[in-house]
């Protein structure tokens, strides 16, 4: 029985050698043979380790060690007695065009939807409203499936999901995706039956559809809260907010307010005159202006703390979205933040996180996929090189995650570089050296950059709608796919007589036992079950006459072009087939 060794996602070469009871030099040598150059202290990922262990032929199986859950994910469990009720964090989800933006807009009574490109919400942010004197926090979650990445990050932040379904359209794929997401994340659902004002609205039909997906309306004896609303006429909005507060009371969301704050970065961008600015949602504790916080690889002494209504705060408590300035660099979307005692600790922690990250990314550059590619030279992955620029970190993450999701075993997107902000001269240089296409999402290419690009023949593609960008990348990737070769068997012949055999040709005769024979064609010569050769059929004869096709039951003569001398015998089978190439798409 193979010995099982548990390792983590990343492991240093030295530790792996120790676990395998091998000299480290042997392991390094094997990695080197496979094109991976590492030292004893460098880390390789699990898949690479697994491939190498297989290559070494050791009687060992690797298993992934269960990872400890990140601290923030345990938020919903156990609190001390000091925990106090906190506002709910609500996300609005559902199919495109069902009215998510309009609904959020109606709720906040501002008019964000109007100026938006493509009508979808492009990046995550959050704001708080007051209803019946109680605060409710809304995540401005983007609505299209391309933003699944953001939703995954935001999953443990969300308490309640409003599933928006247009009453005139019913349940659609992204509605189901939203329902699945909410179920998976253990998030409470409230269904908003939107566009109830429209002529074609049919609330009953949608309720029926919801029941089919195990969301039985309360009025039909189930426990799904369904509220009929119209983002247009504002009908039902108050009722929807009442229901959210009701669910909040039933669920009794709580958090600790005492102690240092902890939470998640939900957006970051450079703001003119203010420097790196991050939007964050507090999960536990109280965040104060002047606090030192660490978020991923950067840290801040909080200079200003601003609420979603623009007011400056001295401190903020759980479920409150805030804009924070004072960061040394842009934190990343999805980074967890925590308060530390002083600047020294903040700097040290940020440096530690940076080192950890570099360790991971330098080795993930030589990822298992690259390694596989080296091992399977015959099965090379074709790569599409791209450079990505986006307006804010949140959308950059979404674009990168979405295009990476297009990877297949044959073709993959290789992101040469990426960044927040307008396209730069440096991007053009990189694009030239790596033969990359530059994709810009919600960013501009200044005129001098455009000129440079056209001089250097660099392609810049600018998009304002994420799925159009993704479709374009998909199309580019599709072009890298080698065409598919489709073989179609047309007919079979059983050999009855051999007329001539040379090094390059066989002429024989026989009976068509299946289908019909046509020229030109290819054929496989089969004896018993074994294939002897693949040949080209150059001629067909019915009697003394050349024929274009010969049908089942008829006798004929065939000329075959062979690569080497082929000793055909009576009783051999010749299977005729045609070969066509089809271009493929992803
Ligand atoms: P999203 O893609 O889910 O964010 O959908 P939008 O909020 O952009 O809405 C899509 C379209 O439906 C827009 O043209 C809206 O004006 C329209 N719409 C949204 N809510 C309503 C509603 O309650 N009634 C009517 N009649 N139209 C609506």
């Amino acid at each position: 029985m193979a010995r099982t060794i548990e390792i983590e996602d990343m492991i240093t070469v030295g530790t792996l050698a120790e676990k395998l009871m091998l000299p480290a030099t042997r392991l390094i040598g094997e990695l080197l043979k496979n094109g991976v150059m590492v030292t004893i202290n460098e880390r390789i990922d699990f898949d690479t380790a697994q491939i190498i262990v297989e290559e070494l032929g050791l009687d060992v199986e690797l298993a992934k060690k269960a990872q400890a859950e990140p601290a923030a994910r345990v938020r919903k469990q156990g609190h001390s007695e000091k925990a106090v009720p906190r506002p709910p964090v609500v996300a609005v989800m559902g199919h495109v065009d069902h009215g998510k933006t309009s609904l959020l807009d109606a709720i906040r009574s501002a008019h964000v939807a109007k100026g938006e490109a493509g009508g979808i919400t492009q990046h995550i942010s959050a704001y708080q409203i007051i209803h019946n004197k109680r605060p409710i926090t809304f995540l401005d979650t983007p609505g299209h499936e391309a933003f699944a990445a953001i939703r995954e990050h935001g999953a443990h932040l969300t308490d309640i999901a409003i599933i928006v379904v247009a009453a005139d359209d019913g349940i659609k794929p992204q509605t189901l995706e939203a329902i699945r997401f909410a179920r998976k994340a253990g998030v409470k659902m409230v269904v908003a039956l939107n566009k109830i004002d429209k002529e074609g609205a049919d609330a009953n039909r949608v309720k029926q559809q919801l029941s089919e997906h195990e969301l039985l309306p309360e009025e039909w004896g189930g426990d799904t809260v369904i509220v009929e609303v119209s983002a247009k006429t504002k009908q039902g909005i108050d009722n929807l907010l009442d229901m959210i507060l009701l669910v909040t009371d039933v669920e009794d969301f709580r958090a600790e307010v005492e102690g240092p704050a902890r939470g998640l970065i939900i957006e970051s961008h450079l703001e003119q005159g203010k420097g790196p600015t991050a939007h964050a949602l507090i999960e536990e504790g109280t965040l104060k202006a002047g606090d030192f916080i660490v978020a991923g690889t950067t840290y801040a002494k909080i200079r200003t703390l601003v609420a979603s209504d623009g007011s400056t705060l001295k401190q903020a408590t759980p479920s409150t979205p805030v804009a924070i300035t004072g960061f040394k660099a842009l934190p990343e979307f999805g980074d967890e933040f925590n308060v530390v005692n002083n600047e020294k600790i903040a700097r040290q922690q940020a440096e530690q996180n940076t080192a950890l990250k570099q360790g991971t990314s330098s080795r993930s550059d030589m990822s298992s996929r690259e390694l596989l590619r080296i091992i399977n030279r015959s099965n090379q992955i074709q790569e599409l090189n791209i450079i990505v620029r986006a307006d804010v970190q949140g959308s950059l993450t979404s674009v990168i995650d979405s295009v990476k999701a297009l990877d297949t075993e044959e073709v993959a997107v290789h992101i040469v570089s990426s960044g927040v902000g307008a396209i730069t001269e440096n991007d053009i240089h990189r694009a030239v050296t790596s033969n990359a296409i530059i994709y810009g999402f919600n960013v501009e290419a200044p005129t001098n950059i455009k000129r440079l690009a056209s001089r250097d023949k660099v392609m810049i593609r600018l998009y304002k709608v994420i799925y159009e960008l993704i479709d374009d990348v998909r199309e580019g990737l599709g072009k890298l796919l080698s065409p598919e070769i489709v073989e179609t068997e047309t007919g079979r012949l059983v050999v009855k007589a051999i007329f001539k055999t040379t090094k390059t040709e066989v002429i024989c005769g026989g009976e068509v036992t299946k289908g019909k024979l046509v020229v030109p064609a290819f054929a496989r010569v089969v004896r018993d079950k074994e294939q002897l050769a693949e040949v080209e059929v150059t001629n067909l004869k019915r009697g003394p006459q050349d024929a274009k096709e010969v049908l089942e039951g008829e006798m004929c003569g065939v000329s075959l072009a062979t690569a080497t001398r082929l000793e055909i015998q009576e009783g051999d089978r010749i299977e005729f087939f045609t070969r066509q190439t089809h271009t493929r798409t992803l």
Side-chain angles (χ1 to χ4, degrees):
M1 256 251 325
R3 188 162 60 100
T4 305
I5 296 178
E6 282 199 345
I7 63 169
E8 309 212 328
D9 267 353
M10 302 288 299
I11 185 167
T12 67
V13 173
T15 318
L16 181 62
E18 230 169 75
K19 290 194 182 235
L20 294 171
M21 292 189 286
L22 279 181
T25 46
R26 169 103 194 271
L27 191 57
I28 293 173
E30 190 63 33
L31 281 157
L32 202 61
K33 252 203 272 171
N34 286 293
V36 186
M37 260 172 283
V38 281
T39 63
I40 188 162
N41 293 320
E42 279 183 283
R43 285 142 51 100
I44 56 173
D45 64 15
F46 179 87
D47 294 336
T48 306
Q50 195 157 41
I51 293 164
I52 288 300
V53 167
E54 272 169 31
E55 289 275 298
L56 282 166
L58 300 175
D59 199 16
V60 165
E61 267 181 25
L62 293 184
K64 262 191 208 178
K65 213 178 238 176
Q67 300 264 331
E69 279 278 287
R73 280 170 215 277
V74 298
R75 179 184 82 153
K76 287 179 182 164
Q77 295 145 21
H79 284 113
S80 77
E81 279 171 12
K82 285 193 194 140
V84 297
R86 60 174 176 82
V89 178
V90 183
V92 176
M93 311 177 82
H95 199 72
V96 67
D97 271 351
H98 278 198
K100 295 176 294 296
T101 314
S102 308
L103 192 64
L104 277 164
D105 206 27
I107 290 170
R108 133 180 75 170
S109 298
H111 297 278
V112 187
K114 280 184 189 146
E116 230 182 84
I120 66 165
T121 319
Q122 303 289 13
H123 47 87
I124 192 169
S125 233
Y127 60 91
Q128 212 166 48
I129 61 148
I130 306 288
H131 178 70
N132 289 350
K133 300 194 182 131
R134 292 171 64 185
I136 304 174
T137 302
F138 282 92
L139 287 179
D140 204 347
T141 33
H144 188 259
E145 61 191 351
F147 290 93
I150 281 190
R151 294 210 292 260
E152 289 297 321
H153 282 295
H156 64 286
L157 283 179
T158 312
D159 300 310
I160 301 173
I162 299 184
I163 310 283
V164 179
V165 190
D168 63 337
D169 200 21
I171 288 191
K172 293 279 157 189
Q174 286 158 24
T175 323
L176 292 176
E177 196 201 57
I179 294 172
R180 268 200 301 276
F181 158 81
R183 284 215 174 103
K184 197 171 125 208
V187 167
K188 293 285 142 200
M189 281 182 260
V190 171
V191 178
L193 259 182
N194 192 33
K195 306 198 188 184
I196 205 72
D197 62 289
K198 278 185 90 171
E199 205 164 293
D202 185 349
N204 266 331
R205 188 174 72 103
V206 185
K207 285 177 190 168
Q208 185 64 43
Q209 291 176 332
L210 287 166
S211 330
E212 284 161 20
H213 291 93
E214 290 161 46
L215 290 175
L216 194 63
E218 279 182 323
E219 61 197 89
W220 295 358
D223 59 1
T224 305
V225 181
I226 299 177
V227 186
E228 296 181 13
V229 299
S230 163
K232 192 175 169 193
T233 66
K234 314 261 192 303
Q235 172 196 339
I237 303 281
D238 275 349
N239 193 8
L240 179 67
L241 297 175
D242 287 345
M243 285 303 152
I244 286 168
L245 290 177
L246 189 71
V247 173
T248 303
D249 290 337
V250 172
E251 295 297 317
D252 192 22
F253 304 119
R254 281 172 185 264
E256 318 265 353
V257 278
E258 284 177 24
R262 199 166 59 64
L264 201 81
I265 303 292
I266 53 175
E267 181 60 88
S268 70
H269 59 276
L270 277 172
E271 208 159 299
Q272 211 144 31
K274 291 189 183 156
T277 301
H279 292 179
L281 195 67
I282 300 164
E283 295 183 63
E284 301 278 354
T286 301
L287 189 65
K288 302 188 188 84
D291 273 352
F292 290 97
I293 66 170
V294 182
T297 58
T298 183
Y299 69 97
K301 176 173 190 204
I302 300 180
R303 198 162 35 188
T304 58
L305 206 55
V306 178
S308 57
D309 62 3
S311 60
T312 303
L313 304 173
K314 283 213 171 67
Q315 59 177 50
T317 50
S319 296
T320 311
V322 285
I324 301 171
T325 61
F327 277 102
K328 300 284 168 204
L330 277 183
E332 280 187 28
F333 165 80
D335 278 344
E336 282 168 22
F337 75 80
N338 58 286
V339 170
V340 295
N341 282 339
N342 55 44
E343 177 148 15
K344 192 169 162 214
I345 300 175
R347 192 178 332 112
Q348 273 171 357
Q349 277 197 11
E351 276 166 11
Q352 265 170 20
N353 290 347
T354 309
L356 260 176
K357 198 167 170 190
Q358 277 168 354
T360 318
S361 62
S362 73
R363 287 288 30 101
S364 61
D365 284 348
M366 177 51 83
S367 65
S368 52
R369 198 182 73 211
E370 308 233 342
L371 179 52
L372 268 178
R373 184 171 53 177
I374 294 162
I375 291 174
N376 291 343
R377 275 177 216 284
S378 56
N379 189 14
Q380 283 210 349
I381 297 175
Q382 298 289 324
E383 283 191 339
L384 179 72
N385 286 344
I386 65 169
I387 291 171
V388 188
R389 282 263 165 199
D391 55 343
V392 290
Q393 188 65 44
S395 43
L396 184 65
T397 311
S398 296
V399 171
I400 291 175
D401 286 354
S402 307
V403 298
K404 290 303 283 174
L406 298 173
D407 286 2
T408 70
E409 282 174 3
E410 296 166 77
V411 290
V413 177
H414 177 226
I415 295 170
V416 177
S417 70
S418 62
V420 170
I423 295 164
T424 64
E425 208 174 311
N426 206 9
D427 292 336
I428 305 282
H429 296 320
R430 279 227 178 102
V432 173
T433 47
S434 58
N435 199 12
I437 301 174
I438 302 177
Y439 280 94
F441 179 61
N442 268 342
V443 295
E444 297 294 324
T447 319
N448 62 324
I449 297 294
K450 278 194 188 138
R451 211 175 298 131
L452 208 59
S454 97
R455 188 197 72 188
D456 293 348
K457 304 205 164 42
V458 167
M459 238 184 299
I460 299 184
R461 309 244 169 108
L462 302 176
Y463 285 94
K464 288 204 179 301
V465 178
I466 191 166
Y467 42 89
E468 287 176 4
L469 188 157
I470 294 158
D471 281 348
D472 194 77
V473 176
R474 183 185 288 117
E475 202 184 312
L477 266 184
K479 289 193 183 131
L480 297 181
L481 285 174
S482 51
E484 186 182 20
I485 295 167
V486 180
E487 293 186 354
T488 319
E489 191 177 323
T490 54
R492 284 184 187 180
L493 172 123
V494 172
V495 178
K496 303 260 183 204
I498 294 99
F499 304 123
K500 184 180 166 193
T501 309
T502 70
K503 255 189 184 166
T504 56
E505 192 185 30
V506 171
I507 300 176
C508 60
E511 184 188 344
V512 183
T513 55
K514 188 177 167 195
K516 68 178 178 194
L517 310 189
V518 284
V519 272
F522 297 97
R524 277 180 274 269
V525 181
V526 181
R527 182 171 303 158
D528 298 326
K529 284 198 174 123
E530 197 189 337
Q531 177 175 327
L532 298 184
E534 200 180 286
V535 297
E536 215 181 310
V537 184
T538 51
N539 198 18
L540 276 181
K541 269 187 195 311
R542 195 188 286 106
Q545 305 270 309
D546 283 355
K548 278 241 146 32
E549 58 173 54
V550 184
L551 303 178
E552 190 173 329
E554 291 183 310
M555 303 289 284
C556 67
V558 293
S559 306
L560 311 174
T562 60
T564 54
R565 193 179 173 85
L566 178 65
E567 296 292 349
I568 280 199
Q569 293 175 8
E570 208 184 308
D572 287 348
R573 205 165 69 224
I574 304 180
E575 299 174 359
F576 280 55
F577 65 92
T578 56
R579 206 175 255 158
Q580 278 165 326
T581 51
H582 291 264
T583 48
R584 289 184 292 158
T585 48
L586 274 184

